[in-house]
Amino acid sequence: MAARTARSSPTRLLYSFCTTSSPQTALLTGNFHLRHFSAGSAAAARLREEKDGWWKESLQKLRNIGISAHIDSGKTTLTERVLYYTGRIHEIHEVRGKDGVGAKMDSMDLEREKGITIQSAATYCSWKDYQVNIIDTPGHVDFTIEVERALRVLDGAILVLCSVGGVQSQSITVDRQMRRYEVPRLAFINKLDRMGADPWKVLNQARSKLRHHSAAVQMPIGLEDDFKGLIDLVHMKAYYFHGSSGEKVVAEDIPSNLGAQAQEKRRELIEAVSEVDDKLAEAFLGDEPISASELEEAIRRATIARSFVPVFMGSAFKNKGIQPLLDGVLSYLPCPTEVSNCALDQTKNEEKVTLTGNPAGPLVALAFKLEEGRFGQLTYLRIYEGVIKKGDFIINVNTGKKVKVPRLVRMHSNEMEDIQQAHAGQIVAVFGVDCASGDTFTDGSVKYTMTSMSVPEPVMSLAITPVSKDSGGNFSKALNRFQREDPTFRVGLDTESGQTIISGMGELHLDIYVERMRREYKVDASVGKPRVNFRETITQRAEFDYLHKKQSGGQGQYGRVIGYIEPLPPGSATKFEFENNLVGQAIPSNFVPAIEKGFKEAANSGSLIGHPVENIRIVLTDGAAHNVDSSELAFKLASIYAFRQVYTAAKPVILEPVMMVELKFPTEFQGTVTGDINKRKGMIVGNDQEADDCVISAHVPLNNMFGYSTALRSMTQGKGEFTMEYLEHSQVSNDVQTQLVNAYNATKSTD
């Protein structure tokens, strides 16, 4: 940042300062600055410090966090209490409350068990002069781009664990996600009021199952029905929660009967932190007394470095322990400047660039969520660098379009607060900006994207039709919106049957969109059987010589094409090539484009199973034309029939999509899972051990992966997870080819 500012011109320094100070101060400082600029750099340095000061201070008082948990750990109840204590809502409603209102975060539809809430992508609240953005983190890894975007917007997270259920399968998945995206986190052991609550058992499970280097920063005063309050092991105080909703926090001395245990647990905490923090280790080994502020700073350093997870406790339902948890978010989770964010420079072949998080830098913002509001599309932006102002022109790097920001708002519960500008680190929403989820906006001075622009090709398709004729409008509205939200979701039309075809990255991916269409747009859709996007290709060169002649009174049709087709060499940039090697005027040149068009059209549907033909070169060497009867249509038909005639002689084969599948599951299930992969004609290419988990990489044909999520779940007692992405199209074996051809011929004959 300093280097950047030092290179700036005096005028730019002065201008930047003017925008952040009062006009009088700016004018005085400006005059002084211009008079003495040549004389000394002291004024420039002071200017720089003052200019840096305002944004650093505002960013230090900002937290972007997510709350993640296993289903039924109390995530929604906890969020409800957080909103209540921060003054965002004025009364508490339960998730399945008798009053029929329901929790705030479930405001749309209680059935949203998918974990991705549409209503609020980012909720904003204030706690002790700090601004906290709570961002909905999707609960499941659906193999889409969206999860990554939601997680990369977070700077920190709270992992909620149930004091009875402990570390459950989804807790492991959620924790794995946070580790993958390098998110620092706190743990919160909830439901201490329940029968069988044992926070120390859960803490040990977190250490063994999640491999957390963690220790408790709090200790409960009583458990189950006797749960009265908490002891803060950092400040050595006891906290009780009074009032009808636990809003009055009373600090008292630690009860005498728990003093010894509290000292022991504090020593345990110091020991755990000193293992990963050198500064605290020195004091600990030197037997020096460790003050609360020293311990707090050490916990913060270790948490931000992701080498320690502080564990908080409480009961959200009984309104105990939420305020200290909020204090913990401020004390231990990072502010936007303490997290490193990388962008990809599109001008340098997606080279990684570390962003400074400086509002004086060029604007870089990510659209991470879209929402259909009353006033049109609402786009949530996380600003990583620079400043965005109402009325500014910004450039969408993904499309290259220049757009104006007509209205800039900060989301405040269901209301919106209009703001004039926002700087790096903040999360805001804009109206009237047409874009897709994951698009990056800049001010035009740089060409950075926050996520890679290479979108994988869809590998699976479904035919989909609305059940009732009246819902056609909503049906197309839903498909348009989903395409904007997710670039891996495509919509097309089957020319033969006239059906709408949706394509995506897998079975689960498409199922979720069909389900969302039913819930959000009230459109019931009937879905055809999943279809794998096969391809066809040829394996050898073959000659063609075809004459198309038709005479039926009046002008006839005449066209002759001669040449050969051959496979393209492996790794070719194009999938279809047409070469005109005609010598002389055997075919007039104005008919050649029609011939190319005919071959292209014929290659859209191979004769084996009707799928597109790829990796072919068609070379036209000779032909014949008639002065009267030759036409563009005649030559187009001649080339279509020539292709069909020569295709069989070129020994065609079928290509199927092969997926790169990565599996992670406990080692005890290794035999069963690898046996199943072999049964699905998969080829295992990597086998690693990660703690108690086995990680396998395999290449498996997509056609054999239907229903795999259910199969893996039953093989691993729900503890296994897998991701798959498209790798390549490769040739199928002879027996599979015969099966596919026979199935295709059978459906054709029934049609």
Side-chain angles (χ1 to χ4, degrees):
M1 163 58 216
R4 181 198 292 280
T5 317
R7 284 199 300 273
S8 304
S9 68
T11 328
R12 178 167 170 189
L13 268 169
L14 179 63
Y15 169 74
S16 306
F17 183 67
C18 288
T19 58
T20 60
S21 322
S22 70
Q24 293 85 353
T25 322
L27 198 61
L28 289 168
T29 317
N31 291 337
F32 169 82
H33 184 59
L34 289 172
R35 272 203 306 275
H36 296 274
F37 194 83
S38 55
S41 57
R46 193 160 56 251
L47 247 177
R48 215 163 33 238
E49 274 172 35
E50 285 179 25
K51 195 178 71 161
D52 286 359
W54 75 269
W55 65 265
K56 279 190 174 160
E57 195 177 319
S58 73
L59 285 186
Q60 277 162 3
K61 296 211 159 188
L62 181 61
R63 297 288 180 274
N64 295 318
I65 64 159
I67 300 175
S68 291
H70 181 85
I71 300 109
D72 264 0
S73 294
K75 178 175 111 167
T76 308
T77 312
L78 172 64
T79 313
E80 186 81 357
R81 295 326 186 255
V82 168
L83 297 180
Y84 177 72
Y85 295 130
T86 55
R88 274 283 313 280
I89 54 175
H90 302 296
E91 52 183 331
I92 293 172
H93 297 287
E94 299 312 331
V95 175
R96 285 183 276 271
K98 293 184 179 124
D99 56 4
V101 177
K104 184 76 175 176
M105 298 301 268
D106 281 342
S107 55
M108 279 190 79
D109 181 355
L110 264 177
E111 291 176 277
R112 296 211 181 287
E113 79 283 340
K114 290 276 191 268
I116 302 172
T117 321
I118 308 302
Q119 185 82 44
S120 61
T123 330
Y124 153 88
C125 56
S126 299
W127 181 252
K128 296 188 175 175
D129 293 337
Y130 281 73
Q131 181 185 328
V132 181
N133 288 313
I134 301 171
I135 299 143
D136 277 346
T137 55
H140 296 77
V141 182
D142 312 328
F143 323 113
T144 57
I145 286 174
E146 197 165 323
V147 177
E148 186 172 333
R149 288 184 190 143
L151 279 164
R152 76 166 307 156
V153 174
L154 298 178
D155 297 328
I158 300 170
L159 177 67
V160 184
L161 300 167
C162 171
S163 65
V164 182
V167 174
Q168 292 152 291
S169 58
Q170 189 70 23
S171 320
I172 298 171
T173 310
V174 164
D175 185 71
R176 206 178 278 155
Q177 272 175 274
M178 291 181 191
R179 193 166 285 151
R180 193 179 297 149
Y181 298 110
E182 301 182 342
V183 178
R185 52 205 175 279
L186 314 175
F188 178 69
I189 299 175
N190 193 15
K191 304 191 179 183
L192 290 188
D193 59 307
R194 272 186 59 187
M195 285 288 291
D198 186 351
W200 308 114
K201 174 198 79 177
V202 180
L203 180 57
N204 288 329
Q205 279 184 354
R207 287 171 181 160
S208 60
K209 288 188 181 178
L210 302 177
R211 301 280 167 201
H212 279 183
H213 183 73
S214 57
V217 290
Q218 292 174 337
M219 180 185 133
I221 302 170
L223 281 173
E224 300 176 2
D225 290 342
D226 299 329
F227 178 48
K228 295 184 179 72
L230 294 162
I231 293 170
D232 183 339
L233 299 174
V234 177
H235 297 95
M236 291 305 275
K237 284 263 176 216
Y239 289 114
Y240 297 94
F241 304 90
H242 298 313
S244 58
S245 304
E247 65 276 8
K248 292 186 192 123
V249 183
V250 180
E252 292 180 12
D253 290 333
I254 295 169
S256 54
N257 61 330
L258 293 172
Q261 193 190 352
Q263 286 294 348
E264 186 196 321
K265 292 291 179 192
R266 187 175 200 261
R267 187 176 171 79
E268 219 175 89
L269 169 66
I270 293 169
E271 208 171 300
V273 179
S274 59
E275 279 177 34
V276 290
D277 187 78
D278 296 342
K279 204 170 169 187
L280 190 73
E282 275 178 39
F284 177 64
L285 293 170
D287 268 343
E288 295 168 25
I290 290 162
S291 69
S293 60
E294 282 175 325
L295 181 54
E296 203 168 76
E297 281 167 24
I299 295 172
R300 180 177 178 80
R301 284 193 299 270
T303 306
I304 291 170
R306 300 191 313 282
S307 52
F308 180 72
V309 178
V311 177
F312 289 78
M313 300 181 186
S315 165
F317 185 64
K318 289 285 162 68
N319 310 316
K320 290 183 172 74
I322 310 305
Q323 295 95 325
L325 175 67
L326 281 167
D327 292 340
V329 166
L330 310 185
S331 303
Y332 305 134
L333 287 181
C335 68
T337 51
E338 291 169 311
V339 179
S340 70
N341 287 300
C342 290
L344 305 170
D345 192 341
Q346 295 301 323
T347 57
K348 295 182 182 168
N349 199 17
E350 297 208 343
E351 188 185 297
K352 276 196 172 181
V353 184
T354 305
L355 299 175
T356 58
N358 178 357
L363 171 71
V364 180
L366 174 74
F368 69 94
K369 195 84 177 166
L370 308 179
E371 190 181 297
E372 290 294 327
R374 286 183 309 233
F375 311 106
Q377 183 177 302
L378 182 65
T379 307
Y380 285 91
L381 291 178
R382 159 78 198 256
I383 306 163
Y384 287 97
E385 201 169 288
V387 173
I388 188 168
K389 293 180 185 155
K390 184 181 170 181
D392 269 2
F393 281 97
I394 55 176
I395 287 168
N396 183 335
V397 179
N398 298 57
T399 60
K401 283 183 186 165
K402 192 176 189 179
V403 287
K404 190 179 180 181
V405 180
R407 188 176 170 199
L408 194 62
V409 295
R410 188 158 56 189
M411 299 309 288
H412 199 67
S413 184
N414 293 345
E415 310 93 53
M416 292 160 209
E417 182 189 330
D418 274 283
I419 51 175
Q420 293 305 308
Q421 68 168 44
H423 58 73
Q426 290 186 317
I427 288 173
V428 291
V430 290
F431 272 110
V433 172
D434 189 35
C435 68
S437 172
D439 283 359
T440 308
F441 291 96
T442 68
D443 54 9
S445 59
V446 289
K447 202 173 178 189
Y448 293 168
T449 58
M450 292 309 295
T451 50
S452 176
M453 283 173 71
S454 56
V455 176
E457 282 296 306
V459 291
M460 188 182 285
S461 307
L462 286 176
I464 182 169
T465 43
V467 173
S468 92
K469 293 260 184 342
D470 307 337
S471 52
N474 275 356
F475 178 68
S476 53
K477 215 186 267 180
L479 292 179
N480 284 336
R481 175 171 161 216
F482 296 155
Q483 278 186 98
R484 276 213 306 273
E485 277 186 16
D486 184 351
T488 58
F489 178 77
R490 312 271 173 90
V491 179
L493 198 69
D494 187 334
T495 44
E496 284 178 22
S497 64
Q499 285 178 308
T500 304
I501 306 288
I502 56 171
S503 308
M505 301 314 295
E507 215 174 350
L508 180 61
H509 188 197
L510 295 176
D511 281 353
I512 279 173
Y513 281 117
V514 173
E515 182 69 0
R516 279 184 63 184
M517 196 183 289
R518 189 173 67 77
R519 291 191 182 177
E520 291 166 39
Y521 288 90
K522 306 288 182 279
V523 175
D524 274 318
S526 61
V527 177
K529 277 176 69 181
R531 293 192 328 190
V532 171
N533 295 348
F534 290 106
R535 296 284 180 267
E536 296 181 26
T537 191
I538 55 172
T539 53
Q540 65 181 38
R541 176 176 157 153
E543 314 277 338
F544 60 83
D545 179 350
Y546 188 83
L547 170 65
H548 174 65
K549 195 161 80 171
K550 196 175 182 187
Q551 197 72 44
S552 56
Q555 188 185 349
Q557 291 178 1
Y558 185 95
R560 184 180 183 188
V561 286
I562 302 169
Y564 60 88
I565 65 171
E566 63 181 3
L568 282 169
S572 298
T574 56
K575 294 180 177 178
F576 176 92
E577 267 183 33
F578 178 80
E579 225 170 273
N580 178 9
N581 283 357
L582 282 172
V583 180
Q585 282 292 310
I587 299 174
S589 55
N590 58 317
F591 292 140
V592 173
I595 294 170
E596 183 179 352
K597 198 175 174 188
F599 277 118
K600 258 193 184 152
E601 207 172 286
N604 276 337
S605 172
S607 58
L608 287 179
I609 54 168
H611 280 262
V613 183
E614 278 185 354
N615 301 333
I616 52 165
R617 178 192 281 130
I618 295 169
V619 182
L620 185 66
T621 55
D622 202 357
H626 189 277
N627 288 341
V628 179
D629 291 349
S630 285
S631 64
E632 285 192 359
L633 177 65
F635 275 106
K636 186 181 165 186
L637 290 169
S639 48
I640 290 173
Y641 295 134
F643 183 85
R644 288 181 187 167
Q645 186 192 55
V646 75
Y647 189 59
T648 325
K651 294 266 173 74
V653 291
I654 298 170
L655 305 175
E656 67 179 346
V658 173
M659 309 302 282
M660 175 68 171
V661 181
E662 192 170 281
L663 300 124
K664 197 167 191 177
F665 52 87
T667 315
E668 68 245 41
F669 305 112
Q670 190 171 356
T672 325
V673 175
T674 46
D676 184 67
I677 289 287
N678 292 331
K679 208 163 72 186
R680 292 171 189 271
K681 298 188 177 166
M683 182 172 73
I684 292 170
V685 291
N687 193 340
D688 283 321
Q689 197 71 23
E690 259 184 40
D692 299 335
D693 285 345
C694 183
V695 181
I696 284 179
S697 306
H699 298 169
V700 192
L702 175 65
N703 210 24
N704 303 338
M705 287 296 285
F706 287 123
Y708 188 64
S709 49
T710 317
L712 182 68
R713 225 170 278 153
S714 59
M715 281 187 289
T716 59
Q717 297 169 11
K719 294 173 188 164
E721 63 164 32
F722 78 103
T723 57
M724 64 176 181
E725 58 179 307
Y726 170 71
L727 180 72
E728 62 183 0
H729 270 80
S730 70
Q731 190 176 332
V732 301
S733 57
N734 288 339
D735 58 323
V736 173
Q737 180 153 327
T738 314
Q739 273 175 25
L740 291 168
V741 171
N742 291 343
Y744 175 69
N745 291 337
T747 54
K748 256 177 83 174
S749 58
T750 55
D751 288 351

